[in-house]
Amino acid sequence: MDETNTAGVSGPAGEPPRRSQKALNALFCLVAVAGIGLSVWAVVTQLSDLGARSESRERIEAECGGLVDPDLVLGLNGGTDRVELADRYRIDTARRVSNCVVYRVGGPGTTYGHFALTLTVYPADPNDDERRVVLDDEPFDLRRGGADDITAAADHAVPHPLGDGGLGEYESHMVTARALCADGGRVSSVEASAIAKYADVATPEDRRTLAGLARRAVEKAAEERGCASELPALPAEFRAPVFTLGPADGVGGTCAWYGRLIAAEGRGSLPDRALAAPAGKASAHDACLLALGEDGTRRIWPAYEKTTERPRDLAVVLANAPLWVKTETIVGDGTRGLRTGLQDMTPIRPGTAGNDGFTWWASSVCDGRPALHLMQVSYPYDRILRGRLESLFRAYADDATERRGCTGVVFPGAADFGRS
């Protein structure tokens, strides 16, 4: 054999072919180069992320008035390094109401809801406040269109107190902290709401983060506005807010008054479902939601149809006009500018009591602060319950005022319960 023709011929025993050796060497070089390239890319990506995070922190710091920790904001909903802020919103402690809105940056040209902070500063003179806050008058998601039992779950959870409620309250996606200012200053209270703007319900960890953000924001804003206030610490426990209504029999918390009422007087046509929250003695905002389920609605509807000239079709009621009652107490500066949701926008002012359409209210003074106690009833449930509306509202208002030690209660007259 011609020894000069050695292409593809093995050398000594155990030695790979020379062509294979060259291929392996080339492969090793490619892998090495690729590895270096990937390492360089990883470094570049990491530096890019660090740069994006630094820019995001600066934007949050500037647009949110320096009131929140940017790293905590970026860590919400699993964390992100890239955010944008809405140009038309900016926190300003000199204004009565201001906010900042943070959007999470996704793929090219896309953003998603992430976080918002709303700051409200109340002047000591209540006549300086020109806000108009309309009552929420629909607790259920009517878009479900009868596919489900519509009163089985509410669209929003009712407020839960932070501790005893002295610091504020929280819901499924929002935490509100409040600083009450000492008398004699230009500001009576400062309120900050930290809001999760993403679609998912906030996790327990995110809810605690939101609470810390709200507390820090209101503390710093109060200091900037010269509001002398001592804020309670955050509670150790954050009970998860729920949306599902449960049986009304034996219900506790903010609906305990209702459980006692139906135990003493019977339920009849009154609601058989309830959504409550823990009852805080110092709560400035709490609520109880009551509703009648499908079976209960079907049971009472024939009798109602006989009493009215223009009854609604039962199928329409079950799908789009659920029967519900909501009671709500607001204490302090949150009572300012409150109006009913009807076309006339009737003011609901501290020191008064009355009725406007489907809303009844009483007022009192709780620890020196004005308070409003409200009851809303859906149509035509207000007509079905006409004979029990007064006792229902009085049971609620008595509980709300006694629990807080309120005085000077002004209650609607009997005639106000015959106007529905």
Side-chain angles (χ1 to χ4, degrees):
M1 179 181 295
D2 186 355
E3 293 182 357
T4 63
N5 185 13
T6 58
V9 178
S10 298
E15 182 180 337
R18 294 178 185 176
R19 183 175 296 172
S20 299
Q21 184 67 49
K22 291 180 179 179
L24 285 173
N25 289 340
L27 178 61
F28 290 151
C29 288
L30 288 172
V31 170
V33 170
I36 293 171
L38 289 173
S39 298
V40 171
W41 178 253
V43 171
V44 171
T45 301
Q46 186 174 18
L47 290 174
S48 176
D49 288 344
L50 289 174
R53 187 176 187 88
S54 178
E55 291 179 4
S56 294
R57 293 183 81 261
E58 291 175 1
R59 290 171 183 164
I60 294 170
E61 186 78 20
E63 300 302 314
C64 295
L67 300 184
V68 295
D69 183 338
D71 288 319
L72 293 179
V73 173
L74 292 172
L76 291 168
N77 196 24
T80 184
D81 292 322
R82 291 174 168 81
V83 299
E84 293 180 359
L85 279 89
D87 294 335
R88 58 178 176 161
Y89 298 117
R90 185 185 181 95
I91 291 290
D92 183 354
T93 57
R95 295 171 56 192
R96 292 178 186 171
V97 181
S98 60
N99 49 53
C100 63
V101 182
V102 180
Y103 296 97
R104 186 187 190 109
V105 176
T110 62
T111 57
Y112 306 91
H114 187 71
F115 171 78
L117 178 71
T118 297
L119 180 71
T120 305
V121 180
Y122 291 95
D125 183 355
N127 295 321
D128 289 344
D129 198 342
E130 299 175 354
R131 300 183 322 132
R132 291 188 177 186
V133 183
V134 179
L135 282 173
D136 176 17
D137 60 358
E138 184 48 71
F140 297 101
D141 185 358
L142 301 183
R143 294 169 296 180
R144 284 163 34 187
D148 300 305
D149 184 353
I150 202 166
T151 63
D155 200 25
H156 300 285
V158 295
H160 283 50
L162 287 168
D164 68 353
L167 177 60
E169 61 274 345
Y170 67 96
E171 300 179 33
S172 58
H173 66 294
M174 177 175 69
V175 180
T176 297
R178 198 172 288 109
L180 305 180
C181 311
D183 293 337
R186 298 178 62 184
V187 176
S188 58
S189 69
V190 180
E191 184 177 287
S193 294
I195 308 164
K197 299 292 286 184
Y198 41 90
D200 298 334
V201 174
T203 64
E205 293 77 14
D206 278 2
R207 194 174 300 118
R208 182 169 289 278
T209 297
L210 291 170
L213 289 166
R215 189 185 185 281
R216 172 176 171 170
V218 80
E219 185 174 44
K220 295 187 72 173
E223 183 179 353
E224 289 185 17
R225 290 304 308 265
C227 165
S229 178
E230 294 185 8
L231 297 182
L234 291 174
E237 180 184 5
F238 285 75
R239 185 181 299 184
V242 297
F243 301 84
T244 303
L245 279 71
D249 295 334
V251 66
T254 53
C255 294
W257 62 272
Y258 183 67
R260 293 191 294 267
L261 174 70
I262 59 176
E265 301 182 6
R267 191 170 59 79
S269 298
L270 291 172
D272 56 8
R273 293 174 173 175
L275 180 61
K281 291 184 178 181
S283 290
H285 183 201
D286 63 23
C288 167
L289 177 62
L290 308 168
L292 197 62
E294 282 194 2
D295 291 343
T297 303
R298 293 181 188 278
R299 176 178 59 83
I300 69 169
W301 203 250
Y304 170 66
E305 285 184 314
K306 296 177 181 178
T307 66
T308 179
E309 296 179 356
R310 308 167 82 180
R312 288 187 175 183
D313 183 77
L314 177 59
V316 172
V317 172
L318 293 175
N320 296 299
L323 306 181
W324 56 266
V325 175
K326 184 179 182 182
T327 59
E328 194 167 6
T329 286
I330 303 170
V331 180
D333 287 328
T335 60
R336 298 190 191 181
L338 193 64
R339 296 171 180 268
T340 63
L342 299 179
Q343 186 174 0
D344 292 340
M345 298 283 285
T346 301
I348 301 176
R349 296 191 176 95
T352 69
N355 159 249
D356 177 36
F358 313 115
T359 302
W360 288 259
W361 73 93
S363 62
S364 68
V365 178
C366 304
D367 194 23
R369 294 185 293 159
L372 289 171
H373 314 281
L374 309 143
M375 182 175 75
Q376 295 172 274
V377 185
S378 65
Y379 174 84
Y381 208 16
D382 59 321
R383 284 148 173 78
I384 296 171
L385 298 180
R386 181 173 291 160
R388 302 194 67 175
L389 288 174
E390 184 173 7
S391 63
L392 183 67
F393 185 52
R394 186 172 287 277
Y396 160 66
D398 287 347
D399 175 79
T401 53
E402 289 173 7
R403 172 158 49 95
R404 294 174 171 85
C406 305
T407 58
V409 181
V410 180
F411 197 81
D416 289 314
F417 294 96
R419 296 175 184 170
S420 62

